[in-house]
PDB file of all heavy atoms in Angstrom:
ATOM      1  N   TYR A   1       7.827 -18.221  -5.177  1.00  0.00           N
ATOM      2  CA  TYR A   1       7.776 -18.196  -6.638  1.00  0.00           C
ATOM      3  C   TYR A   1       7.511 -16.780  -7.158  1.00  0.00           C
ATOM      4  O   TYR A   1       7.980 -16.409  -8.248  1.00  0.00           O
ATOM      5  CB  TYR A   1       6.675 -19.127  -7.146  1.00  0.00           C
ATOM      6  CG  TYR A   1       7.034 -20.582  -7.230  1.00  0.00           C
ATOM      7  CD1 TYR A   1       7.893 -21.175  -6.316  1.00  0.00           C
ATOM      8  CD2 TYR A   1       6.499 -21.398  -8.220  1.00  0.00           C
ATOM      9  CE1 TYR A   1       8.202 -22.522  -6.384  1.00  0.00           C
ATOM     10  CE2 TYR A   1       6.802 -22.755  -8.307  1.00  0.00           C
ATOM     11  CZ  TYR A   1       7.661 -23.298  -7.381  1.00  0.00           C
ATOM     12  OH  TYR A   1       7.962 -24.637  -7.456  1.00  0.00           O
ATOM     13  N   LEU A   2       6.737 -16.006  -6.416  1.00  0.00           N
ATOM     14  CA  LEU A   2       6.438 -14.629  -6.845  1.00  0.00           C
ATOM     15  C   LEU A   2       7.726 -13.832  -7.007  1.00  0.00           C
ATOM     16  O   LEU A   2       7.917 -13.144  -8.029  1.00  0.00           O
ATOM     17  CB  LEU A   2       5.519 -13.957  -5.823  1.00  0.00           C
ATOM     18  CG  LEU A   2       5.183 -12.481  -6.084  1.00  0.00           C
ATOM     19  CD1 LEU A   2       4.448 -12.311  -7.409  1.00  0.00           C
ATOM     20  CD2 LEU A   2       4.341 -11.911  -4.934  1.00  0.00           C
ATOM     21  N   GLN A   3       8.638 -13.946  -6.036  1.00  0.00           N
ATOM     22  CA  GLN A   3       9.900 -13.221  -6.125  1.00  0.00           C
ATOM     23  C   GLN A   3      10.766 -13.749  -7.271  1.00  0.00           C
ATOM     24  O   GLN A   3      11.438 -12.970  -7.963  1.00  0.00           O
ATOM     25  CB  GLN A   3      10.671 -13.333  -4.797  1.00  0.00           C
ATOM     26  CG  GLN A   3      10.120 -12.471  -3.672  1.00  0.00           C
ATOM     27  CD  GLN A   3       8.778 -12.952  -3.135  1.00  0.00           C
ATOM     28  OE1 GLN A   3       8.609 -14.162  -2.908  1.00  0.00           O
ATOM     29  NE2 GLN A   3       7.828 -12.052  -2.944  1.00  0.00           N
ATOM     30  N   LEU A   4      10.754 -15.064  -7.482  1.00  0.00           N
ATOM     31  CA  LEU A   4      11.558 -15.631  -8.567  1.00  0.00           C
ATOM     32  C   LEU A   4      11.094 -15.125  -9.927  1.00  0.00           C
ATOM     33  O   LEU A   4      11.914 -14.770 -10.790  1.00  0.00           O
ATOM     34  CB  LEU A   4      11.495 -17.159  -8.533  1.00  0.00           C
ATOM     35  CG  LEU A   4      12.135 -17.877  -7.343  1.00  0.00           C
ATOM     36  CD1 LEU A   4      12.028 -19.394  -7.525  1.00  0.00           C
ATOM     37  CD2 LEU A   4      13.601 -17.461  -7.166  1.00  0.00           C
ATOM     38  N   ILE A   5       9.784 -15.090 -10.140  1.00  0.00           N
ATOM     39  CA  ILE A   5       9.244 -14.671 -11.436  1.00  0.00           C
ATOM     40  C   ILE A   5       9.451 -13.178 -11.642  1.00  0.00           C
ATOM     41  O   ILE A   5       9.876 -12.734 -12.721  1.00  0.00           O
ATOM     42  CB  ILE A   5       7.760 -15.071 -11.549  1.00  0.00           C
ATOM     43  CG1 ILE A   5       7.645 -16.606 -11.608  1.00  0.00           C
ATOM     44  CG2 ILE A   5       7.117 -14.451 -12.782  1.00  0.00           C
ATOM     45  CD1 ILE A   5       6.219 -17.126 -11.610  1.00  0.00           C
ATOM     46  N   GLU A   6       9.178 -12.393 -10.602  1.00  0.00           N
ATOM     47  CA  GLU A   6       9.421 -10.946 -10.727  1.00  0.00           C
ATOM     48  C   GLU A   6      10.914 -10.667 -10.878  1.00  0.00           C
ATOM     49  O   GLU A   6      11.313  -9.770 -11.632  1.00  0.00           O
ATOM     50  CB  GLU A   6       8.855 -10.218  -9.513  1.00  0.00           C
ATOM     51  CG  GLU A   6       7.342 -10.194  -9.465  1.00  0.00           C
ATOM     52  CD  GLU A   6       6.780  -9.489  -8.245  1.00  0.00           C
ATOM     53  OE1 GLU A   6       7.506  -9.376  -7.232  1.00  0.00           O
ATOM     54  OE2 GLU A   6       5.623  -9.056  -8.299  1.00  0.00           O
ATOM     55  N   GLY A   7      11.732 -11.458 -10.203  1.00  0.00           N
ATOM     56  CA  GLY A   7      13.178 -11.282 -10.315  1.00  0.00           C
ATOM     57  C   GLY A   7      13.711 -11.594 -11.696  1.00  0.00           C
ATOM     58  O   GLY A   7      14.783 -11.110 -12.089  1.00  0.00           O
ATOM     59  N   ALA A   8      12.946 -12.383 -12.463  1.00  0.00           N
ATOM     60  CA  ALA A   8      13.330 -12.698 -13.839  1.00  0.00           C
ATOM     61  C   ALA A   8      12.786 -11.662 -14.824  1.00  0.00           C
ATOM     62  O   ALA A   8      12.911 -11.842 -16.041  1.00  0.00           O
ATOM     63  CB  ALA A   8      12.831 -14.091 -14.218  1.00  0.00           C
ATOM     64  N   GLY A   9      12.189 -10.591 -14.300  1.00  0.00           N
ATOM     65  CA  GLY A   9      11.764  -9.484 -15.157  1.00  0.00           C
ATOM     66  C   GLY A   9      10.312  -9.487 -15.568  1.00  0.00           C
ATOM     67  O   GLY A   9       9.913  -8.718 -16.453  1.00  0.00           O
ATOM     68  N   TYR A  10       9.487 -10.304 -14.936  1.00  0.00           N
ATOM     69  CA  TYR A  10       8.081 -10.399 -15.315  1.00  0.00           C
ATOM     70  C   TYR A  10       7.219  -9.435 -14.501  1.00  0.00           C
ATOM     71  O   TYR A  10       7.481  -9.193 -13.309  1.00  0.00           O
ATOM     72  CB  TYR A  10       7.568 -11.837 -15.121  1.00  0.00           C
ATOM     73  CG  TYR A  10       8.053 -12.771 -16.207  1.00  0.00           C
ATOM     74  CD1 TYR A  10       9.347 -13.279 -16.187  1.00  0.00           C
ATOM     75  CD2 TYR A  10       7.228 -13.119 -17.275  1.00  0.00           C
ATOM     76  CE1 TYR A  10       9.809 -14.112 -17.191  1.00  0.00           C
ATOM     77  CE2 TYR A  10       7.681 -13.959 -18.280  1.00  0.00           C
ATOM     78  CZ  TYR A  10       8.969 -14.445 -18.240  1.00  0.00           C
ATOM     79  OH  TYR A  10       9.413 -15.276 -19.244  1.00  0.00           O
ATOM     80  N   LEU A  11       6.202  -8.891 -15.160  1.00  0.00           N
ATOM     81  CA  LEU A  11       5.270  -7.959 -14.535  1.00  0.00           C
ATOM     82  C   LEU A  11       3.859  -8.534 -14.551  1.00  0.00           C
ATOM     83  O   LEU A  11       3.531  -9.381 -15.392  1.00  0.00           O
ATOM     84  CB  LEU A  11       5.280  -6.621 -15.280  1.00  0.00           C
ATOM     85  CG  LEU A  11       6.629  -5.893 -15.347  1.00  0.00           C
ATOM     86  CD1 LEU A  11       6.500  -4.660 -16.244  1.00  0.00           C
ATOM     87  CD2 LEU A  11       7.115  -5.501 -13.958  1.00  0.00           C
ATOM     88  N   LYS A  12       3.046  -8.055 -13.653  1.00  0.00           N
ATOM     89  CA  LYS A  12       1.655  -8.507 -13.586  1.00  0.00           C
ATOM     90  C   LYS A  12       0.924  -8.210 -14.891  1.00  0.00           C
ATOM     91  O   LYS A  12       1.006  -7.117 -15.443  1.00  0.00           O
ATOM     92  CB  LYS A  12       0.922  -7.812 -12.432  1.00  0.00           C
ATOM     93  CG  LYS A  12      -0.583  -8.080 -12.413  1.00  0.00           C
ATOM     94  CD  LYS A  12      -1.299  -7.267 -11.342  1.00  0.00           C
ATOM     95  CE  LYS A  12      -2.814  -7.411 -11.467  1.00  0.00           C
ATOM     96  NZ  LYS A  12      -3.553  -6.638 -10.446  1.00  0.00           N
ATOM     97  N   LYS A  13       0.193  -9.218 -15.375  1.00  0.00           N
ATOM     98  CA  LYS A  13      -0.712  -9.039 -16.508  1.00  0.00           C
ATOM     99  C   LYS A  13      -2.149  -8.925 -16.012  1.00  0.00           C
ATOM    100  O   LYS A  13      -2.867  -8.001 -16.360  1.00  0.00           O
ATOM    101  CB  LYS A  13      -0.579 -10.202 -17.493  1.00  0.00           C
ATOM    102  CG  LYS A  13      -1.432 -10.049 -18.757  1.00  0.00           C
ATOM    103  CD  LYS A  13      -1.151 -11.189 -19.726  1.00  0.00           C
ATOM    104  CE  LYS A  13      -2.003 -11.051 -21.000  1.00  0.00           C
ATOM    105  NZ  LYS A  13      -1.613  -9.859 -21.785  1.00  0.00           N
ATOM    106  N   VAL A  14      -2.562  -9.883 -15.166  1.00  0.00           N
ATOM    107  CA  VAL A  14      -3.924  -9.861 -14.612  1.00  0.00           C
ATOM    108  C   VAL A  14      -3.984 -10.820 -13.432  1.00  0.00           C
ATOM    109  O   VAL A  14      -3.212 -11.784 -13.370  1.00  0.00           O
ATOM    110  CB  VAL A  14      -4.972 -10.257 -15.689  1.00  0.00           C
ATOM    111  CG1 VAL A  14      -4.856 -11.731 -16.062  1.00  0.00           C
ATOM    112  CG2 VAL A  14      -6.385  -9.911 -15.253  1.00  0.00           C
ATOM    113  N   ASP A  15      -4.888 -10.554 -12.506  1.00  0.00           N
ATOM    114  CA  ASP A  15      -5.119 -11.477 -11.394  1.00  0.00           C
ATOM    115  C   ASP A  15      -6.402 -12.271 -11.618  1.00  0.00           C
ATOM    116  O   ASP A  15      -7.367 -11.771 -12.213  1.00  0.00           O
ATOM    117  CB  ASP A  15      -5.215 -10.719 -10.060  1.00  0.00           C
ATOM    118  CG  ASP A  15      -3.857 -10.323  -9.519  1.00  0.00           C
ATOM    119  OD1 ASP A  15      -2.831 -10.777 -10.081  1.00  0.00           O
ATOM    120  OD2 ASP A  15      -3.809  -9.553  -8.536  1.00  0.00           O
ATOM    121  N   LEU A  16      -6.399 -13.494 -11.128  1.00  0.00           N
ATOM    122  CA  LEU A  16      -7.529 -14.413 -11.221  1.00  0.00           C
ATOM    123  C   LEU A  16      -7.997 -14.721  -9.801  1.00  0.00           C
ATOM    124  O   LEU A  16      -7.176 -14.988  -8.927  1.00  0.00           O
ATOM    125  CB  LEU A  16      -7.119 -15.707 -11.931  1.00  0.00           C
ATOM    126  CG  LEU A  16      -6.274 -15.561 -13.197  1.00  0.00           C
ATOM    127  CD1 LEU A  16      -5.804 -16.925 -13.689  1.00  0.00           C
ATOM    128  CD2 LEU A  16      -7.057 -14.838 -14.290  1.00  0.00           C
ATOM    129  N   LEU A  17      -9.298 -14.677  -9.586  1.00  0.00           N
ATOM    130  CA  LEU A  17      -9.853 -14.822  -8.247  1.00  0.00           C
ATOM    131  C   LEU A  17     -10.545 -16.159  -8.064  1.00  0.00           C
ATOM    132  O   LEU A  17     -11.195 -16.668  -8.980  1.00  0.00           O
ATOM    133  CB  LEU A  17     -10.854 -13.694  -7.967  1.00  0.00           C
ATOM    134  CG  LEU A  17     -10.368 -12.265  -8.206  1.00  0.00           C
ATOM    135  CD1 LEU A  17     -11.483 -11.269  -7.887  1.00  0.00           C
ATOM    136  CD2 LEU A  17      -9.113 -11.954  -7.396  1.00  0.00           C
ATOM    137  N   ALA A  18     -10.406 -16.702  -6.859  1.00  0.00           N
ATOM    138  CA  ALA A  18     -11.141 -17.904  -6.461  1.00  0.00           C
ATOM    139  C   ALA A  18     -12.022 -17.526  -5.274  1.00  0.00           C
ATOM    140  O   ALA A  18     -11.526 -16.993  -4.274  1.00  0.00           O
ATOM    141  CB  ALA A  18     -10.181 -19.029  -6.084  1.00  0.00           C
ATOM    142  N   TYR A  19     -13.312 -17.798  -5.403  1.00  0.00           N
ATOM    143  CA  TYR A  19     -14.275 -17.462  -4.354  1.00  0.00           C
ATOM    144  C   TYR A  19     -14.708 -18.717  -3.612  1.00  0.00           C
ATOM    145  O   TYR A  19     -15.015 -19.739  -4.236  1.00  0.00           O
ATOM    146  CB  TYR A  19     -15.523 -16.824  -4.953  1.00  0.00           C
ATOM    147  CG  TYR A  19     -15.373 -15.384  -5.382  1.00  0.00           C
ATOM    148  CD1 TYR A  19     -14.905 -15.061  -6.657  1.00  0.00           C
ATOM    149  CD2 TYR A  19     -15.732 -14.348  -4.533  1.00  0.00           C
ATOM    150  CE1 TYR A  19     -14.791 -13.747  -7.062  1.00  0.00           C
ATOM    151  CE2 TYR A  19     -15.625 -13.020  -4.931  1.00  0.00           C
ATOM    152  CZ  TYR A  19     -15.152 -12.718  -6.189  1.00  0.00           C
ATOM    153  OH  TYR A  19     -15.041 -11.422  -6.589  1.00  0.00           O
ATOM    154  N   ASP A  20     -14.760 -18.635  -2.290  1.00  0.00           N
ATOM    155  CA  ASP A  20     -15.352 -19.695  -1.483  1.00  0.00           C
ATOM    156  C   ASP A  20     -16.811 -19.348  -1.187  1.00  0.00           C
ATOM    157  O   ASP A  20     -17.113 -18.207  -0.796  1.00  0.00           O
ATOM    158  CB  ASP A  20     -14.599 -19.850  -0.157  1.00  0.00           C
ATOM    159  CG  ASP A  20     -13.546 -20.944  -0.228  1.00  0.00           C
ATOM    160  OD1 ASP A  20     -13.340 -21.503  -1.323  1.00  0.00           O
ATOM    161  OD2 ASP A  20     -12.917 -21.238   0.806  1.00  0.00           O
ATOM    162  N   VAL A  21     -17.681 -20.344  -1.371  1.00  0.00           N
ATOM    163  CA  VAL A  21     -19.094 -20.166  -1.040  1.00  0.00           C
ATOM    164  C   VAL A  21     -19.510 -21.309  -0.111  1.00  0.00           C
ATOM    165  O   VAL A  21     -19.980 -22.353  -0.566  1.00  0.00           O
ATOM    166  CB  VAL A  21     -19.978 -20.154  -2.307  1.00  0.00           C
ATOM    167  CG1 VAL A  21     -21.431 -19.841  -1.933  1.00  0.00           C
ATOM    168  CG2 VAL A  21     -19.472 -19.154  -3.332  1.00  0.00           C
ATOM    169  N   PRO A  22     -19.308 -21.155   1.210  1.00  0.00           N
ATOM    170  CA  PRO A  22     -19.779 -22.194   2.146  1.00  0.00           C
ATOM    171  C   PRO A  22     -21.310 -22.159   2.203  1.00  0.00           C
ATOM    172  O   PRO A  22     -21.905 -21.097   2.396  1.00  0.00           O
ATOM    173  CB  PRO A  22     -19.160 -21.768   3.486  1.00  0.00           C
ATOM    174  CG  PRO A  22     -18.150 -20.720   3.158  1.00  0.00           C
ATOM    175  CD  PRO A  22     -18.609 -20.076   1.895  1.00  0.00           C
ATOM    176  N   TYR A  23     -21.937 -23.301   2.021  1.00  0.00           N
ATOM    177  CA  TYR A  23     -23.389 -23.294   1.926  1.00  0.00           C
ATOM    178  C   TYR A  23     -24.080 -23.023   3.261  1.00  0.00           C
ATOM    179  O   TYR A  23     -25.241 -22.640   3.299  1.00  0.00           O
ATOM    180  CB  TYR A  23     -23.868 -24.617   1.323  1.00  0.00           C
ATOM    181  CG  TYR A  23     -23.459 -24.768  -0.129  1.00  0.00           C
ATOM    182  CD1 TYR A  23     -23.243 -26.007  -0.703  1.00  0.00           C
ATOM    183  CD2 TYR A  23     -23.256 -23.646  -0.926  1.00  0.00           C
ATOM    184  CE1 TYR A  23     -22.852 -26.139  -2.030  1.00  0.00           C
ATOM    185  CE2 TYR A  23     -22.865 -23.757  -2.251  1.00  0.00           C
ATOM    186  CZ  TYR A  23     -22.661 -25.003  -2.797  1.00  0.00           C
ATOM    187  OH  TYR A  23     -22.281 -25.123  -4.109  1.00  0.00           O
ATOM    188  N   ALA A  24     -23.345 -23.175   4.363  1.00  0.00           N
ATOM    189  CA  ALA A  24     -23.936 -22.882   5.672  1.00  0.00           C
ATOM    190  C   ALA A  24     -24.189 -21.390   5.850  1.00  0.00           C
ATOM    191  O   ALA A  24     -25.083 -20.987   6.609  1.00  0.00           O
ATOM    192  CB  ALA A  24     -23.028 -23.387   6.786  1.00  0.00           C
ATOM    193  N   THR A  25     -23.422 -20.557   5.154  1.00  0.00           N
ATOM    194  CA  THR A  25     -23.554 -19.111   5.325  1.00  0.00           C
ATOM    195  C   THR A  25     -23.909 -18.385   4.033  1.00  0.00           C
ATOM    196  O   THR A  25     -23.910 -17.161   3.999  1.00  0.00           O
ATOM    197  CB  THR A  25     -22.239 -18.523   5.874  1.00  0.00           C
ATOM    198  OG1 THR A  25     -21.164 -18.848   4.974  1.00  0.00           O
ATOM    199  CG2 THR A  25     -21.931 -19.079   7.249  1.00  0.00           C
ATOM    200  N   HIS A  26     -24.203 -19.136   2.958  1.00  0.00           N
ATOM    201  CA  HIS A  26     -24.479 -18.462   1.688  1.00  0.00           C
ATOM    202  C   HIS A  26     -25.850 -17.790   1.727  1.00  0.00           C
ATOM    203  O   HIS A  26     -26.725 -18.157   2.510  1.00  0.00           O
ATOM    204  CB  HIS A  26     -24.425 -19.464   0.527  1.00  0.00           C
ATOM    205  CG  HIS A  26     -25.684 -20.249   0.331  1.00  0.00           C
ATOM    206  ND1 HIS A  26     -26.036 -21.296   1.156  1.00  0.00           N
ATOM    207  CD2 HIS A  26     -26.697 -20.126  -0.576  1.00  0.00           C
ATOM    208  CE1 HIS A  26     -27.199 -21.790   0.761  1.00  0.00           C
ATOM    209  NE2 HIS A  26     -27.618 -21.103  -0.273  1.00  0.00           N
ATOM    210  N   ASN A  27     -26.005 -16.787   0.894  1.00  0.00           N
ATOM    211  CA  ASN A  27     -27.299 -16.129   0.724  1.00  0.00           C
ATOM    212  C   ASN A  27     -28.138 -16.999  -0.208  1.00  0.00           C
ATOM    213  O   ASN A  27     -27.797 -17.168  -1.382  1.00  0.00           O
ATOM    214  CB  ASN A  27     -27.090 -14.734   0.111  1.00  0.00           C
ATOM    215  CG  ASN A  27     -28.375 -13.955  -0.025  1.00  0.00           C
ATOM    216  OD1 ASN A  27     -29.451 -14.533  -0.167  1.00  0.00           O
ATOM    217  ND2 ASN A  27     -28.275 -12.637   0.016  1.00  0.00           N
ATOM    218  N   ASP A  28     -29.221 -17.568   0.318  1.00  0.00           N
ATOM    219  CA  ASP A  28     -29.982 -18.549  -0.463  1.00  0.00           C
ATOM    220  C   ASP A  28     -31.085 -17.914  -1.306  1.00  0.00           C
ATOM    221  O   ASP A  28     -32.019 -18.581  -1.719  1.00  0.00           O
ATOM    222  CB  ASP A  28     -30.570 -19.621   0.449  1.00  0.00           C
ATOM    223  CG  ASP A  28     -31.573 -19.050   1.454  1.00  0.00           C
ATOM    224  OD1 ASP A  28     -31.726 -17.809   1.493  1.00  0.00           O
ATOM    225  OD2 ASP A  28     -32.180 -19.847   2.184  1.00  0.00           O
ATOM    226  N   ARG A  29     -30.934 -16.614  -1.582  1.00  0.00           N
ATOM    227  CA  ARG A  29     -31.955 -15.936  -2.392  1.00  0.00           C
ATOM    228  C   ARG A  29     -32.129 -16.597  -3.750  1.00  0.00           C
ATOM    229  O   ARG A  29     -33.245 -16.768  -4.239  1.00  0.00           O
ATOM    230  CB  ARG A  29     -31.587 -14.456  -2.565  1.00  0.00           C
ATOM    231  CG  ARG A  29     -32.616 -13.630  -3.339  1.00  0.00           C
ATOM    232  CD  ARG A  29     -32.258 -12.146  -3.291  1.00  0.00           C
ATOM    233  NE  ARG A  29     -33.236 -11.354  -4.023  1.00  0.00           N
ATOM    234  CZ  ARG A  29     -33.134 -11.029  -5.315  1.00  0.00           C
ATOM    235  NH1 ARG A  29     -32.074 -11.456  -5.993  1.00  0.00           N
ATOM    236  NH2 ARG A  29     -34.047 -10.307  -5.920  1.00  0.00           N
ATOM    237  N   SER A  30     -30.993 -17.004  -4.375  1.00  0.00           N
ATOM    238  CA  SER A  30     -31.077 -17.618  -5.703  1.00  0.00           C
ATOM    239  C   SER A  30     -31.817 -18.943  -5.656  1.00  0.00           C
ATOM    240  O   SER A  30     -32.487 -19.327  -6.612  1.00  0.00           O
ATOM    241  CB  SER A  30     -29.667 -17.822  -6.286  1.00  0.00           C
ATOM    242  OG  SER A  30     -28.890 -18.654  -5.458  1.00  0.00           O
ATOM    243  N   VAL A  31     -31.709 -19.661  -4.512  1.00  0.00           N
ATOM    244  CA  VAL A  31     -32.433 -20.929  -4.366  1.00  0.00           C
ATOM    245  C   VAL A  31     -33.922 -20.660  -4.163  1.00  0.00           C
ATOM    246  O   VAL A  31     -34.787 -21.325  -4.761  1.00  0.00           O
ATOM    247  CB  VAL A  31     -31.860 -21.741  -3.191  1.00  0.00           C
ATOM    248  CG1 VAL A  31     -32.665 -23.028  -2.997  1.00  0.00           C
ATOM    249  CG2 VAL A  31     -30.391 -22.085  -3.447  1.00  0.00           C
ATOM    250  N   LYS A  32     -34.236 -19.674  -3.316  1.00  0.00           N
ATOM    251  CA  LYS A  32     -35.627 -19.356  -3.033  1.00  0.00           C
ATOM    252  C   LYS A  32     -36.365 -18.857  -4.274  1.00  0.00           C
ATOM    253  O   LYS A  32     -37.581 -19.053  -4.420  1.00  0.00           O
ATOM    254  CB  LYS A  32     -35.709 -18.313  -1.924  1.00  0.00           C
ATOM    255  CG  LYS A  32     -35.296 -18.833  -0.554  1.00  0.00           C
ATOM    256  CD  LYS A  32     -35.356 -17.735   0.494  1.00  0.00           C
ATOM    257  CE  LYS A  32     -35.010 -18.270   1.874  1.00  0.00           C
ATOM    258  NZ  LYS A  32     -34.999 -17.208   2.911  1.00  0.00           N
ATOM    259  N   LEU A  33     -35.633 -18.200  -5.161  1.00  0.00           N
ATOM    260  CA  LEU A  33     -36.264 -17.640  -6.362  1.00  0.00           C
ATOM    261  C   LEU A  33     -36.291 -18.608  -7.538  1.00  0.00           C
ATOM    262  O   LEU A  33     -36.766 -18.246  -8.619  1.00  0.00           O
ATOM    263  CB  LEU A  33     -35.519 -16.360  -6.787  1.00  0.00           C
ATOM    264  CG  LEU A  33     -35.679 -15.133  -5.881  1.00  0.00           C
ATOM    265  CD1 LEU A  33     -34.797 -14.002  -6.380  1.00  0.00           C
ATOM    266  CD2 LEU A  33     -37.130 -14.682  -5.834  1.00  0.00           C
ATOM    267  N   LEU A  34     -35.787 -19.812  -7.335  1.00  0.00           N
ATOM    268  CA  LEU A  34     -35.645 -20.742  -8.451  1.00  0.00           C
ATOM    269  C   LEU A  34     -36.951 -20.963  -9.208  1.00  0.00           C
ATOM    270  O   LEU A  34     -36.986 -20.891 -10.438  1.00  0.00           O
ATOM    271  CB  LEU A  34     -35.103 -22.088  -7.957  1.00  0.00           C
ATOM    272  CG  LEU A  34     -33.583 -22.229  -7.934  1.00  0.00           C
ATOM    273  CD1 LEU A  34     -33.189 -23.563  -7.322  1.00  0.00           C
ATOM    274  CD2 LEU A  34     -33.004 -22.100  -9.338  1.00  0.00           C
ATOM    275  N   ASP A  35     -38.012 -21.259  -8.489  1.00  0.00           N
ATOM    276  CA  ASP A  35     -39.285 -21.553  -9.160  1.00  0.00           C
ATOM    277  C   ASP A  35     -39.758 -20.367  -9.981  1.00  0.00           C
ATOM    278  O   ASP A  35     -40.218 -20.519 -11.121  1.00  0.00           O
ATOM    279  CB  ASP A  35     -40.346 -21.952  -8.124  1.00  0.00           C
ATOM    280  CG  ASP A  35     -40.055 -23.296  -7.476  1.00  0.00           C
ATOM    281  OD1 ASP A  35     -39.266 -24.056  -8.067  1.00  0.00           O
ATOM    282  OD2 ASP A  35     -40.604 -23.567  -6.395  1.00  0.00           O
ATOM    283  N   THR A  36     -39.626 -19.170  -9.406  1.00  0.00           N
ATOM    284  CA  THR A  36     -40.042 -17.957 -10.126  1.00  0.00           C
ATOM    285  C   THR A  36     -39.187 -17.727 -11.359  1.00  0.00           C
ATOM    286  O   THR A  36     -39.691 -17.440 -12.455  1.00  0.00           O
ATOM    287  CB  THR A  36     -39.958 -16.735  -9.189  1.00  0.00           C
ATOM    288  OG1 THR A  36     -40.790 -16.957  -8.054  1.00  0.00           O
ATOM    289  CG2 THR A  36     -40.391 -15.468  -9.914  1.00  0.00           C
ATOM    290  N   LEU A  37     -37.857 -17.865 -11.185  1.00  0.00           N
ATOM    291  CA  LEU A  37     -36.946 -17.630 -12.307  1.00  0.00           C
ATOM    292  C   LEU A  37     -37.146 -18.663 -13.408  1.00  0.00           C
ATOM    293  O   LEU A  37     -37.163 -18.314 -14.600  1.00  0.00           O
ATOM    294  CB  LEU A  37     -35.497 -17.671 -11.815  1.00  0.00           C
ATOM    295  CG  LEU A  37     -35.029 -16.497 -10.961  1.00  0.00           C
ATOM    296  CD1 LEU A  37     -33.655 -16.782 -10.371  1.00  0.00           C
ATOM    297  CD2 LEU A  37     -34.988 -15.212 -11.781  1.00  0.00           C
ATOM    298  N   GLN A  38     -37.301 -19.908 -13.036  1.00  0.00           N
ATOM    299  CA  GLN A  38     -37.485 -20.946 -14.050  1.00  0.00           C
ATOM    300  C   GLN A  38     -38.804 -20.779 -14.796  1.00  0.00           C
ATOM    301  O   GLN A  38     -38.873 -21.021 -15.999  1.00  0.00           O
ATOM    302  CB  GLN A  38     -37.402 -22.327 -13.400  1.00  0.00           C
ATOM    303  CG  GLN A  38     -35.983 -22.727 -13.024  1.00  0.00           C
ATOM    304  CD  GLN A  38     -35.899 -24.146 -12.486  1.00  0.00           C
ATOM    305  OE1 GLN A  38     -36.337 -24.429 -11.384  1.00  0.00           O
ATOM    306  NE2 GLN A  38     -35.338 -25.032 -13.272  1.00  0.00           N
ATOM    307  N   ALA A  39     -39.845 -20.338 -14.086  1.00  0.00           N
ATOM    308  CA  ALA A  39     -41.130 -20.097 -14.750  1.00  0.00           C
ATOM    309  C   ALA A  39     -41.004 -18.961 -15.757  1.00  0.00           C
ATOM    310  O   ALA A  39     -41.574 -19.030 -16.859  1.00  0.00           O
ATOM    311  CB  ALA A  39     -42.195 -19.765 -13.707  1.00  0.00           C
ATOM    312  N   ARG A  40     -40.230 -17.936 -15.397  1.00  0.00           N
ATOM    313  CA  ARG A  40     -40.026 -16.818 -16.319  1.00  0.00           C
ATOM    314  C   ARG A  40     -39.236 -17.261 -17.547  1.00  0.00           C
ATOM    315  O   ARG A  40     -39.544 -16.866 -18.681  1.00  0.00           O
ATOM    316  CB  ARG A  40     -39.295 -15.684 -15.593  1.00  0.00           C
ATOM    317  CG  ARG A  40     -39.239 -14.389 -16.401  1.00  0.00           C
ATOM    318  CD  ARG A  40     -38.693 -13.260 -15.565  1.00  0.00           C
ATOM    319  NE  ARG A  40     -37.266 -13.407 -15.304  1.00  0.00           N
ATOM    320  CZ  ARG A  40     -36.575 -12.610 -14.496  1.00  0.00           C
ATOM    321  NH1 ARG A  40     -37.186 -11.635 -13.848  1.00  0.00           N
ATOM    322  NH2 ARG A  40     -35.276 -12.794 -14.331  1.00  0.00           N
ATOM    323  N   LEU A  41     -38.211 -18.089 -17.323  1.00  0.00           N
ATOM    324  CA  LEU A  41     -37.429 -18.586 -18.456  1.00  0.00           C
ATOM    325  C   LEU A  41     -38.274 -19.476 -19.365  1.00  0.00           C
ATOM    326  O   LEU A  41     -38.127 -19.440 -20.595  1.00  0.00           O
ATOM    327  CB  LEU A  41     -36.210 -19.373 -17.948  1.00  0.00           C
ATOM    328  CG  LEU A  41     -35.102 -18.567 -17.266  1.00  0.00           C
ATOM    329  CD1 LEU A  41     -34.031 -19.500 -16.719  1.00  0.00           C
ATOM    330  CD2 LEU A  41     -34.483 -17.560 -18.227  1.00  0.00           C
TER     331      LEU A  41
END
């Protein structure tokens, strides 16, 4: 489809990203800080 759209004269406007966050390997700092952050809020 990329070639078809570019072949019809279209140029990139912007890219959109999708991030994977597997919980087995995620950095759990945000979870560990939850109580502190919620108390501050």
Side-chain angles (χ1 to χ4, degrees):
Y1 278 34
L2 176 61
Q3 285 70 45
L4 293 183
I5 292 175
E6 290 179 338
Y10 284 78
L11 301 174
K12 172 186 172 180
K13 184 175 180 66
V14 69
D15 281 351
L16 315 173
L17 308 180
Y19 284 87
D20 264 5
V21 185
Y23 292 151
T25 58
H26 82 284
N27 183 332
D28 63 355
R29 183 172 180 268
S30 60
V31 177
K32 290 178 177 177
L33 290 175
L34 271 175
D35 291 341
T36 302
L37 288 171
Q38 286 185 288
R40 189 172 71 186
L41 290 175

